[in-house]
Amino acid sequence: MTMKRLAIGALILATATLPVRAADTNLKNLDFDLSKVSRDNFYDVVVPVAKTEGTVTMYNFAGSFGDTWKELTTRFEAKYGIKVNYTDVVGDQANQQLIAVQKAGQDAPVDVYFAGGGGYPLLSSTGVVGKIALTKILPNMDHYDPVLAETVFGKPHGGAFPLVHLNQTAIGYDSAFVKEADLPKNFDDLLAWAEKNPKRLGVTLPSKGGSGSGFIYSVALNYLKGDCRAKLTDYSLSLEQAEDWAMTSECLEPVWDYYRKLLKVSELTNGNADTLNLINNQQLYMGTVWEDQVITFLTNKQLPDSFRLTLLEGGQVGSGDAIFVPANAKHVAAALLLIDMAFSKDFQTWKLEHKASRSPRTDISDDLISAETRIHVLPDSVYPRLSVTAFWDMATALSEALNEKVLNQ
């Protein structure tokens, strides 16, 4: 009997003895009993089914992550002999495609989707996210951050929408021009430095880049107190409610006052890459940045080797992006296997070394990466101590209010 027939026979036996319990999940094409899968038996149950499926399709919404997923899919195909069909997509367009497919009851064109972490409310409310407790059944998620295992940016996901990549906003600077003794330690220091060094600080326009919207949210967290600050972290607020509050609340006057002063002596840049390019050209010496994007620019020789990173006391926003199985995925077993490998310690360490992609695993630290990489990522003295959780709907609301309250005045 051929190996293919043996696999098919094993699959028939498995599905006969482990009946599908459709009521426990919204997965359309499930051909094994998901309720019986645990970390202990995961590979015994899932690998034979995945190999019978023979293929898995992956979407990547982040263009800068193409080489990262190439590394993963190459490892996956070599280990399991399962072909990965990989496609880079535009996140908003892919989201709408999956929502339309879900609404029509059709099979999804993708089995594994690397998506923006902030997309969970939309994708879950439209039924796109497959209800699988990934954080509880995947063997390589046994060291996953317990907070992230249940929530994403304050929204409960039950393990179905885990962040696989964490990134951190920061203050980046060229140490050839900014000496350590002059490095700002907090938001007041940053304003003072900008006043002493006019037009040498770049602040990313919030509507054009996440380092800018992360920065305005971080400013608000730093200067607001009491009930006003509590509003900033009220994750029950919808985007519309956050927008109404940001546009009308007197709580935010300290934020608008800070920006009025800061923007008088700073450059408002047109995006994350614009900030880095201006620093590279020595037009700016310091700016709001993403840690992982910095590493990409350094790798491509688009920043000087003297570039360094820090975080401000009071905290700066940390974020991340998720990986999940769509409810109407056709190759569920292979999808689970690929996602499991994405969370392996070896791959997560590789990702940190080559992309400054922070890991949600609790057993990975900067001690595992090379000294050459370590000097260009956030130092242990500030990260993760000064990383604060993003609330992107509120950050968006603050960014929109900034236009009316400050920029358009």
Side-chain angles (χ1 to χ4, degrees):
M1 184 179 291
T2 66
M3 291 301 294
K4 182 176 181 179
R5 287 179 180 175
L6 282 171
I8 293 174
L11 174 61
I12 293 172
L13 178 61
T15 54
T17 57
L18 299 176
V20 175
R21 296 174 60 182
D24 293 342
T25 182
N26 63 343
L27 295 174
K28 178 186 176 187
N29 299 303
L30 191 61
D31 49 11
F32 59 96
D33 190 348
L34 188 62
S35 70
K36 299 291 180 66
V37 178
S38 66
R39 291 197 215 282
D40 292 337
N41 68 10
F42 178 85
Y43 297 119
D44 291 336
V45 174
V46 173
V47 171
V49 182
K51 289 191 173 183
T52 300
E53 291 172 346
T55 186
V56 60
T57 299
M58 180 179 184
Y59 277 4
N60 164 43
F61 90 105
S64 63
F65 250 63
D67 54 345
T68 303
W69 298 127
K70 176 64 175 177
E71 175 70 20
L72 176 70
T73 57
T74 298
R75 294 183 183 198
F76 182 80
E77 290 180 338
K79 181 172 183 177
Y80 293 111
I82 298 171
K83 178 175 176 53
V84 181
N85 299 309
Y86 171 89
T87 303
D88 291 323
V89 297
V90 177
D92 290 343
Q93 293 178 7
N95 290 348
Q96 292 304 317
Q97 177 194 34
L98 291 179
I99 290 169
V101 166
Q102 181 71 23
K103 189 176 296 184
Q106 300 172 347
D107 288 342
V110 59
D111 305 303
V112 174
Y113 185 13
F114 176 59
Y120 179 71
L122 172 65
L123 294 173
S124 61
S125 66
T126 51
V128 170
V129 179
K131 294 179 181 178
I132 312 175
L134 299 170
T135 59
K136 298 178 177 66
I137 66 172
L138 300 188
N140 279 319
M141 296 190 78
D142 60 340
H143 283 79
Y144 195 76
D145 184 322
V147 175
L148 297 178
E150 296 295 332
T151 61
V152 55
F153 306 141
K155 306 291 185 182
H157 61 74
F161 199 82
L163 298 180
V164 68
H165 153 67
L166 304 183
N167 51 4
Q168 178 65 45
T169 63
I171 300 299
Y173 63 99
D174 188 341
S175 62
F177 299 98
V178 183
K179 302 307 178 185
E180 187 173 351
D182 299 325
L183 190 63
K185 298 295 191 295
N186 54 48
F187 288 92
D188 288 345
D189 286 353
L190 184 69
L191 175 58
W193 185 92
E195 290 172 338
K196 291 178 182 178
N197 302 272
K199 301 302 180 181
R200 293 300 189 181
L201 171 68
V203 179
T204 308
L205 183 64
S207 62
K208 295 291 187 178
S211 67
S213 56
F215 182 74
I216 191 172
Y217 184 65
S218 302
V219 169
L221 286 173
N222 183 73
Y223 287 108
L224 270 57
K225 308 298 180 185
D227 292 341
C228 290
R229 191 182 192 281
K231 201 75 171 181
L232 294 172
T233 57
D234 183 358
Y235 296 104
S236 69
L237 295 177
S238 66
L239 174 59
E240 294 74 17
Q241 290 171 323
E243 289 171 332
D244 288 343
W245 180 76
M247 205 66 76
T248 60
S249 177
E250 294 181 359
C251 285
L252 292 164
E253 281 307 314
V255 176
W256 312 141
D257 183 58
Y258 184 83
Y259 263 86
R260 290 185 190 103
K261 294 175 182 177
L262 189 67
L263 295 183
K264 283 181 180 179
V265 291
S266 305
E267 288 290 342
L268 192 62
T269 72
N270 202 37
N272 302 314
D274 190 32
T275 302
L276 294 176
N277 286 331
L278 289 169
I279 294 175
N280 187 49
N281 295 331
Q282 298 182 6
Q283 293 176 263
L284 300 176
Y285 296 159
M286 186 182 299
T288 56
V289 301
W290 284 106
E291 182 185 33
D292 57 330
Q293 188 178 33
V294 164
I295 291 298
T296 297
F297 270 59
L298 283 165
T299 300
N300 295 330
K301 308 300 182 184
Q302 294 172 284
L303 281 174
D305 195 57
S306 53
F307 195 87
R308 300 290 186 270
L309 293 168
T310 190
L311 291 177
L312 300 175
E313 294 290 341
Q316 291 190 249
V317 164
S319 188
D321 300 306
I323 194 166
F324 73 98
V325 182
N328 288 4
K330 290 184 289 187
H331 308 107
V332 177
L336 294 178
L337 208 55
L338 181 59
I339 292 175
D340 178 65
M341 181 176 281
F343 285 102
S344 67
K345 185 174 183 179
D346 184 59
F347 178 70
Q348 287 284 318
T349 302
W350 183 93
K351 190 162 58 66
L352 176 61
E353 171 74 34
H354 294 276
K355 303 293 289 187
S357 170
R358 296 288 177 171
S359 178
R361 289 184 63 112
T362 58
D363 57 349
I364 292 181
S365 68
D366 291 355
D367 294 340
L368 299 177
I369 62 177
S370 66
E372 291 78 11
T373 298
R374 199 176 301 126
I375 64 171
H376 292 304
V377 299
L378 287 162
D380 293 339
S381 60
V382 299
Y383 185 87
R385 179 175 63 89
L386 297 179
S387 177
V388 297
T389 302
F391 180 11
W392 287 119
D393 282 349
M394 181 59 74
T396 297
L398 295 174
S399 301
E400 293 170 352
L402 179 71
N403 290 331
E404 180 172 315
K405 304 290 185 179
V406 179
L407 301 183
N408 295 331
Q409 292 295 314

